[in-house]
Amino acid sequence: MGEPDDERWQDAGPEPEERVPAGIRARWILDRLENRRAAMGLTPKPAGRRDTDAVTRLVERLDAAGEPDTSGLMERVLDHALDNGFQAKRVDTGRRFARLFDELRDDLTCDQRTLERRRREHADASQPTGSDTGESRPAEPESYETRARRMLADRIGADIDASTAIRALADRLRLDPDPDPGQAARYAELALRAGRKTRAEQARRESERSRELHDYRASHGGSCFAGNWQLEQAT
């Protein structure tokens, strides 16, 4: 009777996300919220027990609804919310993120559809037609994100989170669209600094995530799957 169980333990592969406890996945999102707000220069608010409970319930709700990538969805919704100045001020705690999640998710969906429609319209407009007079169309204004990406193109290394740096610089350009060269260089350096901080936080978070999963598996017989450690306890 012992041999099949031993073989099953040895053959166990990586744990699917849904087997990682909801509370641990909630902590990942709360860490992301705190670190992103700090990198953006917003007031960081450390998560409390009520924040953890609220986000844990959100994770469980999304899992129960059949969401195939709960953590990925929550990260996309959170990042999109923090890229919006109005929502960034509202989403300052885990409890508010959990309460506003459906609204924020709808915002992301609508913005994605709008962006896709504009891309199709731009592609259609760029196609030559029989009635084309040969006159050139006026160039579309460069977006702040594109401008920030161009300004940082040669300065982003492996120690910098590119998306954070680009967002940080784009936000500053929105407030000051025509900075002098010295000020532009300062904006770029501040954005790169934010990118470095985010990359360092990501490394720390990944290390903590691995440690949490290792500790959880170790305390439950080597697996996040409840069936395995319940079987071990029964024996």
Side-chain angles (χ1 to χ4, degrees), residues 38-84:
M40 295 169 63
L42 300 176
T43 304
K45 296 185 178 181
R49 177 62 181 272
R50 294 171 63 188
D51 297 300
T52 302
D53 290 345
V55 178
T56 298
R57 288 193 295 269
L58 174 60
V59 172
E60 293 170 343
R61 175 165 71 86
L62 294 174
D63 285 347
E67 174 59 43
D69 183 14
T70 295
S71 292
L73 171 63
M74 294 175 72
E75 289 177 357
R76 291 193 299 274
V77 171
L78 176 60
D79 287 345
H80 184 264
L82 293 179
D83 285 341
N84 179 291

Side-chain angles (χ1 to χ4, degrees), residues 13 26 46 60 71 87 103 114 156 173 181 185-186 188 197 210 214 218 226:
E60 293 170 343
S71 292
Q87 299 292 11
E103 174 188 334
T114 298
I156 295 178
L173 292 175
R186 181 174 179 274
K197 183 174 182 179
S210 297
H214 177 272

Side-chain angles (χ1 to χ4, degrees), residues 203-223:
R204 181 188 62 79
R205 190 164 58 246
E206 288 298 325
S207 177
E208 290 182 353
R209 181 179 299 187
S210 297
R211 177 178 54 78
E212 288 175 348
L213 290 178
H214 177 272
D215 292 346
Y216 188 87
R217 289 192 180 101
S219 64
H220 293 84
S223 174

Side-chain angles (χ1 to χ4, degrees), residues 11-208:
D11 295 339
E15 302 291 349
E17 182 192 287
E18 64 270 16
R19 293 181 181 175
V20 179
I24 292 179
R25 285 182 281 157
R27 286 301 317 174
W28 296 346
I29 295 298
L30 291 168
D31 287 345
R32 189 181 188 90
L33 170 60
E34 183 177 347
N35 294 331
R36 282 264 349 243
R37 284 181 59 85
M40 295 169 63
L42 300 176
T43 304
K45 296 185 178 181
R49 177 62 181 272
R50 294 171 63 188
D51 297 300
T52 302
D53 290 345
V55 178
T56 298
R57 288 193 295 269
L58 174 60
V59 172
E60 293 170 343
R61 175 165 71 86
L62 294 174
D63 285 347
E67 174 59 43
D69 183 14
T70 295
S71 292
L73 171 63
M74 294 175 72
E75 289 177 357
R76 291 193 299 274
V77 171
L78 176 60
D79 287 345
H80 184 264
L82 293 179
D83 285 341
N84 179 291
F86 172 72
Q87 299 292 11
K89 290 185 290 186
R90 300 176 73 199
V91 183
D92 58 348
T93 65
R95 281 170 289 166
R96 288 190 176 181
F97 175 67
R99 186 172 68 250
L100 296 171
F101 181 82
D102 291 337
E103 174 188 334
L104 299 173
R105 184 180 184 178
D106 288 345
D107 285 346
L108 172 61
T109 300
C110 291
D111 287 351
Q112 287 176 333
R113 289 178 177 175
T114 298
L115 179 61
E116 182 59 31
R117 186 183 71 251
R118 288 176 178 173
R119 286 174 177 169
R120 290 196 302 267
E121 292 173 351
H122 179 68
D124 293 342
S126 64
Q127 297 297 323
T129 63
S131 59
D132 194 347
T133 62
E135 296 180 358
S136 60
R137 298 177 179 270
E140 293 190 359
E142 186 178 43
S143 70
Y144 292 112
E145 285 76 12
T146 300
R147 185 179 172 191
R149 187 177 294 108
R150 175 172 53 79
M151 292 173 64
L152 299 175
D154 299 329
R155 304 185 62 184
I156 295 178
D159 64 329
I160 295 174
D161 182 71
S163 59
T164 297
I166 291 170
R167 281 194 296 262
L169 181 54
D171 288 343
R172 292 185 179 276
L173 292 175
R174 287 187 179 94
L175 298 175
D176 185 7
D178 190 24
D180 60 62
Q183 190 70 359
R186 181 174 179 274
Y187 289 162
E189 186 55 41
L190 290 173
L192 292 170
R193 189 179 305 171
R196 290 189 187 94
K197 183 174 182 179
T198 297
R199 179 67 75 197
E201 290 293 342
Q202 288 173 345
R204 181 188 62 79
R205 190 164 58 246
E206 288 298 325
S207 177
E208 290 182 353

